Amino acid sequence: MIETKLEEKRQQEEFNSKIQKQKEELVEYIGSDEYKLREETRSWRLPRGISIDQLQPIMMEISYYSDLAIENSKYGNITATGKTLQNGMIANNYLDFGTNVYIEGEGMKVVEDRGSLKYFSKYNNFDVYIPRNPGENNSDYYTRVNDMGRKMIQGYIIKEEL
């Protein structure tokens, strides 16, 4: 009888130890970048109809562009896919059109345009379209966008399930 009680106590302590370890692992996971990213992606998976298979991390070199002819030649506000430039569009010369990309601090973007090979000759070069503010003249718009500069930012290429 005493042996049975000791065995039950040992099993209970073993069970409690496993539960405690799982709690600690869960707390650690909830604090991880992976968890934070997964939770953030939850908000844009369903509305966009994205079924995420894999998030491929990439250190991106980001620049910004406007819809002005000075930056887009004769095409103005038309992308390489023939769409009118809109907030959320980016240019990249290596990813397929329609590829979803998440840029930390910038949010979810979609590759819909290409850039000059002079400035976008690497896989990790991205140009983020910045829309014009209401009532903004061309000079102020150009200055605002170009003052945003170039940055190295962590991002993720979203590989979707087929």
Side-chain angles (χ1 to χ4, degrees):
M1 176 115 164
I2 292 178
E3 292 174 357
T4 304
K5 294 261 185 210
L6 287 174
E7 180 60 23
E8 286 176 2
K9 184 175 180 181
R10 185 193 64 74
Q11 287 177 352
Q12 185 64 44
E13 288 173 353
E14 189 177 295
F15 178 76
N16 290 344
S17 176
K18 285 180 182 178
I19 294 294
Q20 183 61 34
K21 184 178 178 185
Q22 287 178 346
K23 285 180 181 178
E24 290 168 3
E25 288 171 354
L26 182 59
V27 166
E28 184 178 331
Y29 177 68
I30 289 173
S32 73
D33 290 340
E34 178 186 353
Y35 176 79
K36 290 174 187 170
L37 181 63
R38 295 254 179 229
E39 284 301 300
E40 190 162 349
T41 64
R42 185 184 313 270
S43 68
W44 32 266
R45 274 184 270 181
L46 293 176
R48 292 179 181 255
I50 298 170
S51 179
I52 297 172
D53 183 44
Q54 179 185 4
L55 297 172
Q56 177 185 338
I58 181 173
M59 185 54 70
M60 301 174 161
E61 185 174 353
I62 301 294
S63 57
Y64 302 89
Y65 73 114
S66 69
D67 62 14
L68 296 170
I70 192 170
E71 293 187 315
N72 294 308
S73 69
K74 64 183 179 187
Y75 301 106
N77 69 344
I78 304 298
T79 69
T81 58
K83 297 178 181 175
T84 301
L85 280 166
Q86 296 176 25
N87 193 22
M89 291 182 171
I90 57 175
N92 176 274
N93 291 346
Y94 296 91
L95 295 175
D96 292 337
F97 290 130
T99 300
N100 289 291
V101 175
Y102 179 79
I103 304 171
E104 289 187 0
E106 300 283 340
M108 184 69 153
K109 306 292 181 189
V110 180
V111 176
E112 294 287 354
D113 208 358
R114 299 291 187 226
S116 162
L117 288 177
K118 179 179 178 182
Y119 299 108
F120 301 98
S121 60
K122 297 180 194 167
Y123 181 76
N124 70 330
N125 292 138
F126 292 84
D127 210 11
V128 176
Y129 170 68
I130 302 297
R132 182 187 301 260
N133 288 332
E136 190 171 38
N137 67 40
N138 286 352
S139 176
D140 290 344
Y141 179 38
Y142 178 82
T143 300
R144 177 176 62 88
V145 171
N146 284 278
D147 282 352
M148 296 174 86
R150 295 179 83 80
K151 304 172 186 171
M152 294 301 290
I153 299 177
Q154 180 65 51
Y156 299 87
I157 298 169
I158 298 166
K159 305 286 186 175
E160 296 183 51
E161 296 173 350
L162 299 175

